[in-house]
Amino acid sequence: MSMLLDILDKQQIQSSISSPKGTLFAKVSDVLLDFNDENYKNEFQPLGIHSLGSIKYQKFSNLQNNEVGFALPLRSDITNAPLMDEVVMLFYGPNYTSQQDSDLIIPYYLSDFSIYGSNQENAIPAPPFQPVYKTFIPKDKIRGLLPYEGDRIYEGRNGASIRFGTTVTNPITKNPWSKGGNDGDPITIIRNGQYVDFDDSENVAPILEDINKDASSIYMTNNQQLPIDVASKNLDTFNITLDELEQTSILIASADFSTPEQPQQEQEQQSVEQEQQTPPVSESANPPIEETQPIPEEQYEEENPIDDSEDESVWLDTIPPPLPQPISSFTYKVVKMGPRKHIQVFDNGSLIYEGNPSISAPSNVLKQEAILALEDTYRAEGRIEELRQMKLQ
């Protein structure tokens, strides 16, 4: 801190504190924002680890003498670093060594002066009056925000802002968020990127946030109604543009699921062909069946007497055991499509057969048709009984 204490001697410091004019105005000539800055080692390092955000300045009342000094930011929790050639206000206060020596006070700076009323830059550069910044690039057409009574607004230099506002239903200048709710309802608006689609770049009149035009926004509302058109019309990030879609409508005809009727002439032709293909049946091929009379129960028992002397166990042994039923890997399901339905058969989950659509056939008929269609294939593999035992999925 010795460098800071060398700015003014103790007599000047004491007089500045006791005098009504205990504040100084200074022009910023450098700002330390990075310990890797070359100027840190050259000039700012004696200020120690608390020097981040500190400034090098010239007293505004004595710019011609090139007398320089250093000042620390008043607040370490809020960063509001000035730009070079902007003007700040200095005042003196205690430091961490003031308990040992109350005379050891150092200068602090507070914000920058809005000399031009701009929220972007307020530099007063030397001739040729062109400010030179290290990394900051000001954008064109950036304006300040219009405040309402009670608002607290924090604005960045290039169109970012936070507004802590309220619903105002009857202001002089209307705003888009006060159409719903009651006066005094809180609203928080975070905006990142002010719209700049106005033509007059010289106009510095304040504007309002616009949820449909600003680059991106977060609105935290309380009963307010916002006029949102879409999420965003700005697709510059994706390097694409949207074309308006033509309003078209397509009439979809209702589907006809009824069974198509064959023309009468076609049906008659099929009947003739079937009759021609059917061979004539001779009477010798199908002899008449003789009629037989049922045998009365008493006569049958007399002609076939039961031998009670026969051992019952021996008789039971003659009955063959039932054949084991095969475990079928075949399954089926009936698929419905409107009034039509058809069967699908699977072997271990793989589709092996798909029947023709039918309207009136029940499921058991569809199943029997599938078995008939597949039995030749699986009889050769010895799986015909397994096929007949297929289960519904």
Side-chain angles (χ1 to χ4, degrees), residues 23 60 79 132 288 295 324 334 360:
T23 56
F60 196 73
T79 300
V132 178
I295 301 174
V334 177
S360 58

Side-chain angles (χ1 to χ4, degrees), residues 7 48 66 73 84 94 107 109 119 180 207 227 234 244 260 270 293 299 309 312 328-329 334 337 362:
I7 296 175
N66 293 325
M84 287 188 290
Y109 74 87
N119 59 343
I207 61 173
N234 188 348
E244 293 292 334
Q270 289 181 355
Q293 298 295 328
Q299 181 183 348
S309 63
E312 185 176 359
S328 178
S329 61
V334 177
M337 299 179 63

Side-chain angles (χ1 to χ4, degrees), residues 99-334:
Q99 286 186 331
Q100 287 78 29
D101 187 350
S102 60
D103 292 335
L104 295 178
I105 56 178
I106 60 174
Y108 294 88
Y109 74 87
L110 179 64
S111 187
D112 55 289
F113 281 84
S114 298
I115 292 178
Y116 304 116
S118 171
N119 59 343
Q120 266 198 311
E121 52 180 341
N122 290 279
I124 305 178
F129 306 106
Q130 183 64 38
V132 178
Y133 307 125
K134 294 180 180 179
T135 58
F136 175 68
I137 300 176
K139 288 184 172 292
D140 294 333
K141 302 181 180 180
I142 297 298
R143 302 188 190 179
L145 288 177
L146 178 69
Y148 292 91
E149 189 175 27
D151 283 1
R152 288 181 176 171
I153 302 175
Y154 300 91
E155 296 187 58
R157 293 182 183 270
N158 273 346
S161 62
I162 301 176
R163 179 196 294 267
F164 298 98
T166 60
T167 296
V168 186
T169 58
N170 192 27
I172 298 174
T173 300
K174 300 288 186 180
N175 63 63
W177 62 83
S178 293
K179 294 181 179 180
N182 303 311
D183 282 327
D185 288 342
I187 186 170
T188 301
I189 303 174
I190 303 176
R191 178 195 62 173
N192 185 42
Q194 174 198 296
Y195 72 94
V196 290
D197 59 352
F198 33 79
D199 297 329
D200 188 2
S201 60
E202 300 298 325
N203 192 345
V204 295
I207 61 173
L208 293 171
E209 299 91 336
D210 191 315
I211 194 171
N212 295 308
K213 293 182 179 180
D214 291 331
S216 60
S217 306
I218 298 176
Y219 281 66
M220 288 175 277
T221 61
N222 182 11
N223 298 322
Q224 290 88 1
Q225 297 178 4
L226 301 175
I228 303 176
D229 291 340
V230 293
S232 176
K233 294 179 181 178
N234 188 348
L235 299 178
D236 292 343
T237 301
F238 306 101
N239 196 26
I240 60 175
T241 57
L242 288 181
D243 296 329
E244 293 292 334
L245 291 178
E246 230 179 88
Q247 295 294 331
T248 59
S249 59
I250 301 174
L251 178 62
I252 301 177
S254 59
D256 184 10
F257 294 102
S258 60
T259 305
E261 296 184 359
Q262 293 180 335
Q264 182 68 24
Q265 184 178 358
E266 185 178 346
Q267 292 181 0
E268 293 176 356
Q269 181 66 25
Q270 289 181 355
S271 300
V272 172
E273 291 177 356
Q274 290 177 357
E275 290 178 358
Q276 293 176 353
Q277 293 175 1
T278 305
V281 180
S282 64
E283 293 183 359
S284 59
N286 294 284
I289 301 174
E290 296 182 0
E291 294 184 2
T292 58
Q293 298 295 328
I295 301 174
E297 184 177 351
E298 295 178 356
Q299 181 183 348
Y300 178 82
E301 290 179 353
E302 290 177 359
E303 295 176 358
N304 299 277
I306 298 175
D307 186 2
D308 295 334
S309 63
E310 186 177 355
D311 188 358
E312 185 176 359
S313 62
V314 175
W315 177 74
L316 291 175
D317 290 340
T318 61
I319 300 176
L323 296 174
Q325 294 295 329
I327 300 175
S328 178
S329 61
F330 294 96
T331 57
Y332 74 95
K333 68 177 180 180
V334 177

